[in-house]
Structures are given as C-alpha cells and as structure tokens.
Amino acid sequence: MDLIALFDDYESAAIAAIEQADSAAAIEEVRILYLGKKKGRLKDLQSSLSKATPEERPVVGKRFNEVKNRVSQRLDERKVQLAAPVAARGADFDVTLPGTKIEMGRPHPITQTIIEFKDLMGRFGFSVVDGPEIEDEWHNFDALNIPLEHPARDPLDNFYLAAASANSDAKGGPRLLRSQTSTVQIRTMEHTQPPVRVVSLGRVYRPDTIDKTHSCMFHQMEGLMVGESVTMAQLKTVLLMFAQAYLGDDVDIRFRPSFFPFTEPSVEVDMKWGDDWLEVGGAGMVDPNVLRAVNYDPEQVTGFAFGLGIERFCMKRHEIDDIRRFYENDIRFLSQF
Ligand code: PHE
C-alpha cells in the first residue's frame, strides 16, 4: 500500500477544508475531523503506520510528522484569522456594505434653553458673563445688602463648604455653593464701569425639599442693567418682551410687589400655570447700598436686576409637569428635545 499517497490525500483534503471554514464553529469541526486525538482521519493514518516495513518506516514516519505539523499549523493560523475583527481581515472586509446608523446625541434640554436665552437676550443688547458656583459670603450675601442676621444666610438654608476646605480666612469669608446668580451682579460691577447690560446663566444650589417644582440644584438667568436713568418701566418691558419671545405673545405674566434686600422696589414675577400662578423669578431696582458696595455712585446711576428660573420657563414651553425629569437622565425623556 502507498502510504505516502494516503498522506498526500489527507493533507490536501485537510488544507481545503481549513480554507473553506468561515467561522470559529466551522474551524472547530474541521479540527475534530482532521486532527482529533481520539478518532478522526489523523488517528487512522497513524494506525496505518504499523503496516510499513522496517525499511520504509523512517521515510514514512518523517512524512507523517511533516503532514501533521503542516495541517495543525495552517489550522491554527486560520483560527487566529477568524477570531480577528472584520476590519483586520483585509480582503474579507467588504467596504461596499451599507453602514449601520449612528445615534446622534444632542445638548440637554436645559442647555438648549440656556443657548436660546443667551440668543434672545443678546438681541436686547445684553452680553453674557459668567461667575463661579463656589462663592464667598461677600458676593452671595454682604455685597447684596443681606445682613449677617438675615434668615437667608441660615446655614441650614445653604450648602456651606466644610470648614477645612472653606478657606474661611480668605477675603470674602466662608464659602458656599451659590444660592443665587445675583452673585454675578457684584462680580461684574466690581470690575466694570457703567453702563452695564449683562445676563449670567448657571446653576444655583439650595437645600430645598424636592418636589414637582423644586430641586436642590436648578438654573437661573440673572439680568443686570445699570446706567443713567434706567427705570422700572424698562425692567418690565424687557421681562415681558423676553417672556413673549420665548413663550409666545399670549403668555400671561404678572408683577407682584415683594421684597429682596438687594432691590428697592422689588417684584416677584409670576406666570399663569393652568388655573394658578407660578413664581418664575424675582426682580427690582438695584438697591443703592448694592451700588455703593461696588463703588458706583447711586446719585449718578440707577439699575434694574432680575433672576429667572430657567427650568420653569422650559417646563412651561414644553408642558413638562415635573422638574425632576431634567435630572433623571432618562433617554426616553431627553430624546424628545
Ligand atoms: N436672586 C433672587 C432669587 O434667587 C432673584 C432676584 C434677582 C431678585 C435679581 C431681584 C433681583 O430669588
């Protein structure tokens, strides 16, 4: 019997099967069939070795090993090839196949609202300024005419930083997460001379009880206009025009007398909310004490200021019933914007 011919047949059949295998499962089947230890075609060949004469044996044995090594080497190579990512397989990769759709992200609804507010206020001539979220007492309270004994300064109503990190020996006193964006009024006036016409949009923090309309972190838009003979009439006009630009001409806004230490007179701004009114911000004429705190002359300039809740405007426009939806990161909610 021609053992060498048997080996040749085995080798070409095995190599062909290896090339044809196109998955990890297929290559494993080929391995079992051609190289299986218990039974399989290699095992058969091995038993036939005993039929060789003593003279044939060295040649036949050498050829057997050669074939066996070649087949297992090729099989290992193909295995690696099949395990590689498609792109690395070169010729196997069909560049003409259509791609899969990529899900595009988008800015958070609050971010979208902030962008739109900046744009609207820009058209009224207000430029955008920024301030830090970690503030000192000077900017959050003192300069805003909020005296030490005022209930708004109660540590239980604010997020004060722990003493060690509060850096309380710094110029502005103990530090806290700002409870209002009015801090940026002070920061702006401290380094700008009038006339001033700015808005500042960002996060504020209050340990409020969380419910449908309250969150311990929310966003405000602060506005400040200071110059010669700035009036309350201008304040009302700017706020009404802003609300109409964002929510439509039929928006219902009302101004209610109120009190803030840093404005005099002060108003609360309410918006019609179903059958009710919901407070959407505060406003008023900048208190002379605030102007003095930043070395402005209250005899020379007057100003108005306002602070609006950004979430509440966004909720009104999109008929969102619960402020908590903004912070839950639920993709079913976020993808609607
Ligand atoms: N800072 C006030 C608040 O957060 C709102 C406000 C801003 C009132 C500016 C008057 C002037 O409630």
Side-chain angles (χ1 to χ4, degrees):
M1 174 183 349
D2 192 353
L3 284 174
I4 299 291
L6 269 184
F7 294 161
D8 289 347
D9 283 353
Y10 166 79
E11 184 181 4
S12 45
I15 298 284
I18 289 168
E19 300 306 340
Q20 268 170 29
D22 57 1
S23 68
I27 197 77
E28 176 62 6
E29 267 176 38
V30 173
R31 188 191 66 75
I32 292 166
L33 184 60
Y34 286 92
L35 293 166
K37 292 256 163 50
K38 296 217 178 73
K39 53 183 193 161
R41 300 193 46 186
L42 191 70
K43 200 75 190 157
D44 298 342
L45 287 186
Q46 202 171 5
S47 357
S48 62
L49 279 178
S50 57
K51 292 179 190 133
T53 61
E55 302 87 81
E56 282 176 314
R57 208 157 276 166
V59 183
V60 173
K62 182 167 169 247
R63 180 70 186 133
F64 173 82
N65 283 331
E66 231 171 61
V67 167
K68 179 182 146 193
N69 290 339
R70 236 187 262 164
V71 170
S72 30
Q73 190 189 344
R74 186 63 203 117
L75 186 121
D76 288 343
E77 284 167 8
R78 184 75 183 138
K79 234 185 190 164
V80 172
Q81 231 173 30
L82 288 173
V86 174
R89 282 191 223 158
D92 287 358
F93 179 56
D94 183 353
V95 293
T96 66
L97 281 174
T100 46
K101 193 169 162 266
I102 297 174
E103 276 293 328
M104 292 297 282
R106 69 204 81 192
H108 188 279
I110 294 299
T111 308
Q112 290 184 33
T113 311
I114 286 175
I115 292 169
E116 194 172 338
F117 278 19
K118 286 177 179 173
D119 184 57
L120 288 175
M121 293 309 294
R123 286 192 241 157
F124 297 140
F126 286 74
S127 48
V128 177
V129 291
D130 246 330
E133 287 176 26
I134 295 179
E135 262 300 1
D136 52 44
E137 289 194 308
W138 167 254
H139 292 96
N140 203 84
F141 299 125
D142 299 305
L144 286 164
N145 200 32
I146 305 176
L148 202 52
E149 64 282 0
H150 194 281
R153 296 179 71 144
D154 189 329
L156 290 177
D157 286 332
N158 292 284
F159 287 112
Y160 273 90
L161 271 62
S165 56
N167 203 4
S168 43
D169 53 0
K171 200 170 128 254
R175 296 200 293 171
L176 69 160
L177 297 178
R178 67 179 178 192
S179 60
Q180 48 183 352
T181 44
S182 301
T183 53
V184 192
Q185 290 184 32
I186 304 302
R187 289 193 174 269
T188 304
M189 291 189 284
E190 275 174 342
H191 62 74
T192 330
Q193 284 307 305
V196 171
R197 205 190 288 195
V198 293
V199 283
S200 187
L201 300 90
R203 296 192 179 102
V204 298
Y205 302 84
R206 294 177 193 177
D208 276 346
T209 307
I210 298 168
D211 63 22
K212 272 174 184 289
T213 49
H214 295 87
S215 162
C216 55
M217 183 284 298
F218 62 100
H219 297 74
Q220 283 187 329
M221 173 165 77
E222 191 78 14
L224 175 69
M225 177 161 162
V226 184
E228 278 173 33
S229 59
V230 171
T231 67
M232 188 90 179
Q234 290 170 333
L235 165 66
K236 292 177 75 174
T237 304
V238 166
L239 285 179
L240 184 64
M241 283 173 65
F242 166 76
Q244 286 176 337
Y246 182 70
L247 293 167
D249 285 343
D250 56 350
V251 65
D252 250 335
I253 291 284
R254 80 175 180 191
F255 298 92
R256 190 161 41 88
S258 185
F259 174 81
F260 295 101
F262 36 94
T263 46
E264 181 57 37
S266 304
V267 291
E268 212 113 20
V269 187
D270 295 339
M271 191 190 288
K272 192 84 196 223
W273 204 270
D275 293 333
D276 257 340
W277 293 91
L278 185 70
E279 185 207 325
V280 289
M285 299 306 292
V286 179
D287 193 289
N289 284 345
V290 174
L291 296 174
R292 274 185 215 105
V294 295
N295 295 321
Y296 280 16
D297 181 357
E299 300 302 324
Q300 295 292 311
V301 291
T302 53
F304 68 68
F306 60 84
L308 305 177
I310 295 179
E311 275 83 347
R312 290 188 177 180
F313 273 83
C314 181
M315 286 167 77
K316 176 76 179 165
R317 177 190 285 185
H318 297 286
E319 297 180 354
I320 297 163
D321 57 353
D322 193 324
I323 197 171
R324 289 167 288 200
R325 302 222 188 283
F326 289 121
Y327 319 118
E328 285 165 347
N329 263 346
D330 186 336
I331 204 81
R332 292 168 302 180
F333 171 76
L334 296 176
S335 61
Q336 294 178 46
F337 293 86

